Amino acid sequence: MIRVSLFLSGRLVSKATFESAEVFLGRDPSCDVVIDNLGVSRRHARIFHAGDVWTVEDLGSSNGIHFQGSRVRKQALLADDEFGIGKYTVQFEALAGEPVAAAATATAQAVSSISSPLSDEHGDLTFALDRGDLEKILEKARMPQATEQRAPRLTRVKPRNPIMIVPLSKGHYMAGKAKTSDIRLKGWFVPRRAAMFVREGGRDMVISLADRSRVKVNRKRVDSQALADGDVIQIGRNRFIYTM
């Protein structure tokens, strides 16, 4: 049994539970999860169970599916994994009845997917944080989190237009110039993959992903930094205030 939740800009659009071994997502009304948007193909993707693993597969759509910032054709899913379809975020939850082996297999594939989208797309990118440490942090961020009444948020104060408020309700967010970024930023000094916001041990932290353009927290360049209420985070010319 699985639960599939659909989000748009952090807002829950739909949530449904399925007992079948195959769930279709797309614009067509016959799909199990209907996404009414022209950027979504009629039968865009499917989530299916095979070989003790839950997997999401692109069904030849125009805009594809994205996982951890990279477009993928097929991706094994771990409990509470998220992937993108157009402007929407799909959250996968494995409920009672999932084979134990599925989680272990999906974990191994999920870890391998972390290194590829960042390094393959940006061969000259130098991580300010050791990749092994980054993978450990990401794995913790992907674990189920307690639901909070009000999620911490990032509010952009420079530039003020357009207004940007980002509730940090997920385990991790990618920030940068890339189109697939969760927090998409503009500016000459913003790398395609500039920073990552992750939740670890109940606290949010920011991680710099590029040595040449490190993130600043309260005007100090950092490799990684746990965030406190009122901290000012600067990425290129974009300035955010973190509030809890």
Side-chain angles (χ1 to χ4, degrees), residues 27 65 89 110 138 177 196 222:
R27 200 174 74 250
I65 56 178
T89 299
L138 278 173
K177 194 183 295 185
M196 183 172 289
V222 299

Side-chain angles (χ1 to χ4, degrees), residues 121-142:
E121 189 174 348
H122 312 288
D124 60 342
L125 186 64
T126 302
F127 286 94
L129 196 69
D130 178 77
R131 183 176 294 280
D133 292 335
L134 178 61
E135 290 178 357
K136 291 178 183 178
I137 291 171
L138 278 173
E139 281 304 298
K140 290 181 180 179
R142 291 157 64 95

Side-chain angles (χ1 to χ4, degrees), residues 22-161:
E22 189 174 49
V23 174
F24 287 90
L25 304 89
R27 200 174 74 250
D28 194 286
S30 65
C31 289
D32 302 294
V33 179
V34 179
I35 307 175
D36 187 14
N37 185 277
L38 292 178
V40 178
S41 298
R42 295 186 66 83
R43 289 175 74 83
H44 197 106
R46 68 168 180 149
I47 299 172
F48 65 97
H49 187 266
D52 292 339
V53 179
W54 285 101
T55 302
V56 60
E57 179 183 29
D58 181 16
L59 298 178
S61 65
S62 299
N63 295 322
I65 56 178
H66 291 81
F67 183 85
Q68 294 290 333
S70 180
R71 181 166 178 169
V72 297
R73 188 185 68 82
K74 186 181 290 187
Q75 175 64 47
L77 295 173
L78 183 64
D80 289 325
D81 263 342
E82 296 178 347
F83 58 90
I85 293 182
K87 296 180 179 180
Y88 292 81
T89 299
V90 182
Q91 183 186 55
F92 165 86
E93 296 176 82
L95 305 177
E98 181 193 15
V100 176
T105 305
T107 299
Q109 297 192 28
V111 171
S112 66
S113 73
I114 292 172
S115 59
S116 58
L118 298 174
S119 57
D120 292 348
E121 189 174 348
H122 312 288
D124 60 342
L125 186 64
T126 302
F127 286 94
L129 196 69
D130 178 77
R131 183 176 294 280
D133 292 335
L134 178 61
E135 290 178 357
K136 291 178 183 178
I137 291 171
L138 278 173
E139 281 304 298
K140 290 181 180 179
R142 291 157 64 95
M143 294 176 66
Q145 302 291 333
T147 303
E148 300 180 4
Q149 292 184 345
R150 183 181 184 276
R153 63 185 58 198
L154 295 172
T155 303
R156 189 168 65 178
V157 294
K158 182 181 180 181
R160 293 184 179 274
N161 292 314

Side-chain angles (χ1 to χ4, degrees), residues 205-217:
M205 65 185 300
V206 61
I207 302 171
S208 293
L209 297 181
D211 271 341
R212 290 175 295 186
S213 183
R214 290 192 184 182
V215 174
K216 293 181 180 179
V217 177

